[in-house]
Amino acid sequence: MHHSLLLTLCGIASALSVPRQASNSTKYAVKTPPLTTPWTYEAGIDPWPEYPRPQLQRSQWQSLNGIWTYQNASSLDAVNSLPSGQLANEVLIPSCLESGLSGIQGEYTIYSWFATSFNVPSTWTGDRVLLNFAAVDYEATVFVNGRNATFHRGGYFAFTVDVTDYLKSDGSNDLLVFVHDPTDSDPYVIPIGKQTLRPSHIFYTPCSGIWQSVWIESAPASHVSQLDIAAGMDGQLNATVSSSGNSTQVQITVIDRKTNTTVATHNGASDVECTFSVQDVSLWSPDSPTLYDITVTLGDDVVTSYTGFRTIARGEVDGIERPLLNGEFVFQFGTLDQGFW
Ligand SMILES: *[C@@H]1O[C@H](CO)[C@@H](O)[C@H](O)[C@H]1NC(C)=O
Ligand SMILES: *[C@@H]1O[C@H](CO)[C@@H](O)[C@H](O)[C@H]1NC(C)=O
Ligand SMILES: *[C@@H]1O[C@H](CO)[C@@H](O)[C@H](O)[C@H]1NC(C)=O
Ligand SMILES: *[C@@H]1O[C@H](CO)[C@@H](O)[C@H](O)[C@H]1NC(C)=O
Ligand SMILES: *[C@@H]1O[C@H](CO)[C@@H](O)[C@H](O)[C@H]1NC(C)=O
Ligand SMILES: *[C@@H]1O[C@H](CO)[C@@H](O)[C@H](O)[C@H]1NC(C)=O
């Protein structure tokens, strides 16, 4: 296989598919990090093209991952005066600003601006357009066409904002994100794991910025805003379908992947836990990781998800307390990969 040739052609194809304005920004290129892997130079500029949230998936969506622009800012007050004109550097989204892959490999990137633009496909049928961030470390203020659409705090959490009211009726929309990531700078004490601005010993280079996927999707006004599903070895399935609007009827369908047949259908209400049983389920285990597909219908919104039927418990085996999977002790064996990203 002419592997590198294929990668080069794919790179050209995706670069051509996105119309790019003449830019004053420094062009994107991977920076040489302290440690490289075979994938450092193969990641390309179309990262994570698959739907980013398999547990609550919609069919009408568009990834905003790829090359954005970035500019260092000087303080928290910068959020009050939006930059005019192009930001200084191209950046790969998603990435940690401190990584070579970001194209920035910054230090002390505490205040940042990120920008891109997007068009909403005219074929989308939902009334609303939802903008999703799978994670931004640590605080994000999101501006759409110059208007403040939302603020979010928490570097490990996904958030969604309905941006319909900020969109232009046609043409390109400007997306600008101000990010504040103090890590362990004085006087901040926030959840950071092992990140530090002064890496040494067992504390590591931090991760700042838009480090998980960004995407838009089409949904009706009343839609599924969250899905919590748990299924046990007894075939019982618990599901809470949260609704963006008023409480309403929902239908949950469980599908056997192997045969593509419906094995259970449950009609219930949104925003309360519902419980039902599926007969003769194949359990999930590492030796046989059987998954079932799930379709949830709430009014005009249809989303897909999946689950495995398994029970995790504590129990005594030969006089010793053990974690049990489906009633049995399974010896845990894996690598310790120490590092932050
Ligand atoms: C590019 O830089 C020039 C000179 O600084 C400026 O006049 C122009 O507005 C910039 N273009 C964009 C798209 O920001
Ligand atoms: C960003 O600005 C801060 C000070 O405002 C500076 O310490 C830091 O080095 C800058 N980082 C980059 C990547 O330019
Ligand atoms: C943006 O809006 C949020 C409320 O959604 C608010 O908390 C935040 O202060 C606003 N930020 C700016 C810079 O206006
Ligand atoms: C489902 O809910 C019941 C009742 O709250 C609970 O006993 C059971 O453990 C739950 N099943 C799972 C898989 O979480
Ligand atoms: C919720 O119900 C109220 C009153 O019936 C209605 O005006 C509103 O449009 C509903 N909201 C949604 C999102 O359907
Ligand atoms: C599974 O069944 C559904 C409905 O019967 C059908 O629309 C779909 O194409 C099937 N999927 C596969 C992978 O066969």
Side-chain angles (χ1 to χ4, degrees):
M1 275 296 290
H2 297 284
H3 201 63
S4 58
L5 176 63
L6 189 65
L7 284 167
T8 308
L9 289 174
C10 292
I12 290 169
S14 57
L16 286 179
S17 67
V18 184
R20 301 266 286 277
Q21 298 157 344
S23 166
N24 287 356
S25 312
T26 307
K27 290 282 166 233
Y28 173 76
V30 177
K31 287 239 163 74
T32 305
L35 288 173
T36 58
T37 74
W39 301 281
T40 303
Y41 302 100
E42 289 189 15
I45 58 168
D46 184 22
W48 301 109
E50 61 272 57
Y51 189 89
R53 192 184 49 202
Q55 289 175 318
L56 197 180
Q57 189 157 355
R58 287 195 174 84
S59 56
Q60 293 182 342
W61 73 288
Q62 182 180 290
S63 175
L64 299 188
N65 291 348
I67 303 297
W68 292 31
T69 53
Y70 156 80
Q71 193 166 291
N72 196 11
S74 55
S75 73
L76 264 186
D77 285 342
V79 73
N80 296 311
S81 40
L82 307 198
S84 56
Q86 214 113 32
L87 304 184
N89 309 282
E90 290 190 345
V91 64
L92 183 70
I93 298 296
S95 67
C96 298
L97 279 176
E98 293 83 351
S99 69
L101 218 49
S102 70
I104 306 297
Q105 206 169 302
E107 286 179 22
Y108 301 101
T109 45
I110 292 176
Y111 312 101
S112 312
W113 285 109
F114 293 89
T116 190
S117 59
F118 63 92
N119 286 71
V120 176
S122 57
T123 50
W124 281 7
T125 53
D127 296 331
R128 313 300 295 179
V129 174
L130 309 180
L131 171 62
N132 301 284
F133 289 84
V136 180
D137 199 344
Y138 168 71
E139 293 174 335
T141 308
V142 178
F143 298 90
V144 177
N145 292 321
R147 292 168 65 195
N148 179 359
T150 196
F151 169 85
H152 181 265
R153 175 176 293 142
Y156 301 97
F157 298 101
F159 60 99
T160 298
V161 54
D162 182 335
V163 293
T164 319
D165 295 343
Y166 307 108
L167 298 177
K168 292 178 186 161
S169 54
D170 57 358
S172 173
N173 298 283
D174 292 328
L175 174 57
L176 194 60
V177 184
F178 181 79
V179 177
H180 173 219
D181 185 11
T183 308
D184 56 350
S185 63
D186 207 32
Y188 290 93
V189 180
I190 60 172
I192 49 175
K194 297 179 101 179
Q195 301 175 84
T196 176
L197 287 167
R198 290 162 296 274
S200 78
H201 191 44
I202 57 159
F203 294 94
Y204 303 113
T205 302
C207 175
S208 303
I210 304 170
W211 68 284
Q212 293 285 322
S213 291
V214 187
W215 76 104
I216 52 171
E217 63 191 342
S218 177
S222 178
H223 57 263
V224 177
S225 56
Q226 192 177 323
L227 203 49
D228 296 291
I229 295 173
M233 63 183 290
D234 55 358
Q236 194 176 81
L237 192 151
N238 301 340
T240 304
V241 181
S242 303
S243 154
S244 64
N246 304 322
S247 178
T248 181
Q249 293 301 299
V250 296
Q251 184 174 73
I252 303 170
T253 305
V254 184
I255 300 145
D256 183 331
R257 271 191 191 179
K258 279 190 220 112
T259 57
N260 191 28
T261 51
T262 298
V263 294
T265 300
H266 178 82
N267 292 296
S270 68
D271 306 289
V272 290
E273 185 173 69
C274 48
T275 294
F276 58 96
S277 284
V278 182
Q279 304 303 313
D280 304 321
V281 288
S282 301
L283 300 188
W284 182 95
S285 73
D287 293 334
S288 175
T290 309
L291 295 176
Y292 287 79
D293 288 320
I294 290 178
T295 302
V296 175
T297 307
L298 183 159
D300 292 333
D301 198 21
V302 180
V303 302
T304 57
S305 186
Y306 67 91
T307 196
F309 289 83
R310 84 284 180 275
T311 295
I312 295 160
R314 258 160 51 174
E316 214 167 86
V317 178
D318 298 334
I320 297 167
E321 183 146 330
R322 300 285 195 190
L324 304 180
L325 173 66
N326 300 332
E328 282 173 25
F329 173 53
V330 180
F331 185 71
Q332 308 289 304
F333 184 63
T335 50
L336 170 66
D337 178 5
Q338 201 171 19
F340 195 74
W341 39 267

